Amino acid sequence: MKSIKVFAPATVANLSCGFDVLGCCLDNVGDEMVISLTSTPGVKITKIEGADLPLETHKNVAGVATEALLDKYNGDTGVEIEIYKKIKAGSGIGSSAASSAGAVWAINNLLGNPFTAQELIQFAMEGEKLASGNAHADNVAPAIMGGFTLVRSYTPLDVIKLNSPEDLFMTVIHPQIEVKTSDSRSVIKHKVTLNKAIEQWGNVGGLVAGLYTEDYDLIGRSLNDVIIEPLRSILIPEFDTIKNAAITNGALGSGISGSGPSVFALSKGIDTATKVAKAIEDIYSKTEISFDIHISKINPDGVRVLN
């Protein structure tokens, strides 16, 4: 039996202006998974620690993503999966994406890498579809490819890995409340005005340009969401206070991580990211809500093998 142990990273999706198309990969927050190839065809999830998740293959995002991969693979390969969850479900930092991406990346590695990154993203999206009802790629893409990614198109799938300036650091606060992706999607309007759309397109282009030119002021100016954030922010306690504190303490920008309730702040340099974390911690310590705070550089590689 061939086995591999991997780190399946957390991710921050949307990045304010890029709903369902932009995301980035965190470096020190994520799950661990052990994936094994067996001679018995089929997919078995043998162990889950750290979360109350189903072992049934068709009910588990890692199982569904794995089945999608094996359906395309020519062979009678069997797979066994162990999941050690360290990303809380519904946290807004890609819990389902980590399991989906980690599983397909690891299996591809064990099989000798027959599939491209784009194909792996497509398989992992099946896990996201199970989790939220929508096969979005803005979390699984950076988890698999690393760094910042842009989903240029879903039909056909076309994902581009963007430049990741080394000085960028993420501060993420996760309030211990659950906001399910399916619930947060229900508050979104399906029509927007042309003026709002134009403003959002400009911010997406500005953020991509800022990443490539490493123009931190441009990155900061572009981290502005005029369509989704005004609707979703009401679901997150103290959101406006957190965002204002982050920017006041030097963050380039701040917004909702994925579907929430986590809130991210992107900063230039570890010192600023740490200062932002302290400011946010001071705010949430005055509430009755438990919380976690993570500080991470951008992970340029995505899923990786653990010794």
Side-chain angles (χ1 to χ4, degrees), residues 246-263:
I247 294 172
T248 299
N249 283 274
L252 300 171
S254 178
I256 302 169
S257 177
S259 58
S262 288
V263 178

Side-chain angles (χ1 to χ4, degrees), residues 17 22 148 162-166 168 202-223 252 266 268:
C17 58
L22 286 173
F148 289 85
L162 307 175
N163 185 55
S164 299
E166 290 186 6
L168 287 179
N203 285 327
V204 173
L207 181 53
V208 172
L211 291 172
Y212 274 104
T213 59
E214 305 198 1
D215 183 334
Y216 295 96
D217 288 338
L218 177 56
I219 291 170
R221 295 199 305 275
S222 302
L223 288 170
L252 300 171
L266 189 62
K268 180 182 180 182

Side-chain angles (χ1 to χ4, degrees), residues 14 18-22 134 136-138 151 154 185:
N14 301 339
F19 178 70
D20 273 6
V21 299
L22 286 173
N134 182 57
H136 56 99
D138 50 341
V151 183
Y154 276 93
R185 282 183 175 270

Side-chain angles (χ1 to χ4, degrees), residues 13-285:
N14 301 339
L15 296 172
S16 294
C17 58
F19 178 70
D20 273 6
V21 299
L22 286 173
C24 71
C25 189
L26 302 185
D27 190 61
N28 57 4
V29 188
D31 297 337
E32 294 180 2
M33 305 179 74
V34 176
I35 312 293
S36 304
L37 299 185
T38 71
S39 57
T40 305
V43 181
K44 288 181 63 178
I45 301 172
T46 59
K47 182 186 293 186
I48 300 175
E49 293 185 1
D52 184 18
L53 296 171
L55 288 168
E56 295 94 332
T57 301
H58 68 285
K59 295 181 180 179
N60 187 289
V61 297
V64 169
T66 298
E67 287 186 327
L69 183 152
L70 293 180
D71 284 345
K72 293 290 185 181
Y73 182 70
N74 295 321
D76 294 327
T77 302
V79 175
E80 292 186 359
I81 302 172
E82 299 176 17
I83 305 171
Y84 301 89
K85 292 297 293 182
K86 298 183 181 181
I87 310 172
K88 293 182 174 66
S91 60
I93 52 174
S95 178
S96 60
S99 295
S100 301
V104 299
W105 188 96
I107 295 165
N108 193 50
N109 182 286
L110 288 171
L111 293 174
N113 298 306
F115 297 109
T116 67
Q118 303 272 337
E119 290 172 315
L120 294 181
I121 292 166
Q122 195 87 61
F123 302 143
M125 286 169 62
E126 292 302 310
E128 293 290 70
K129 184 177 180 180
L130 175 66
S132 68
N134 182 57
H136 56 99
D138 50 341
N139 287 103
V140 294
I144 289 170
M145 300 179 80
F148 289 85
T149 56
L150 167 70
V151 183
R152 189 206 64 81
S153 168
Y154 276 93
T155 311
L157 185 68
D158 185 6
V159 181
I160 302 159
K161 185 172 181 177
L162 307 175
N163 185 55
S164 299
E166 290 186 6
D167 286 344
L168 287 179
F169 285 79
M170 274 289 183
T171 303
V172 180
I173 179 170
H174 172 215
Q176 300 296 301
I177 59 172
E178 184 172 352
V179 176
K180 292 184 178 180
T181 303
S182 54
D183 293 339
S184 66
R185 282 183 175 270
S186 68
V187 303
I188 297 173
K189 295 178 181 178
H190 292 277
K191 293 183 179 180
V192 298
T193 66
L194 182 59
N195 286 343
K196 293 293 186 185
I198 291 169
E199 188 173 352
Q200 199 86 333
W201 293 331
N203 285 327
V204 173
L207 181 53
V208 172
L211 291 172
Y212 274 104
T213 59
E214 305 198 1
D215 183 334
Y216 295 96
D217 288 338
L218 177 56
I219 291 170
R221 295 199 305 275
S222 302
L223 288 170
N224 185 34
D225 180 2
V226 298
I227 295 176
I228 307 298
E229 185 177 292
L231 301 173
R232 282 184 167 174
S233 60
I234 60 173
L235 302 174
I236 303 171
E238 303 293 337
F239 173 79
D240 290 335
T241 309
I242 292 170
K243 182 174 181 176
N244 291 335
I247 294 172
T248 299
N249 283 274
L252 300 171
S254 178
I256 302 169
S257 177
S259 58
S262 288
V263 178
F264 79 87
L266 189 62
S267 300
K268 180 182 180 182
I270 184 66
D271 291 343
T272 300
T274 303
K275 182 180 178 183
V276 168
K278 179 63 168 61
I280 294 173
E281 183 177 4
D282 288 345
I283 292 168
Y284 250 78
S285 295

Side-chain angles (χ1 to χ4, degrees), residues 284-305:
Y284 250 78
S285 295
K286 297 173 184 176
T287 72
E288 296 182 355
I289 302 170
S290 299
F291 61 93
D292 295 323
I293 291 184
H294 308 289
I295 301 172
S296 175
K297 69 176 184 178
I298 305 301
N299 173 354
D301 302 315
V303 182
R304 61 177 180 262
V305 177

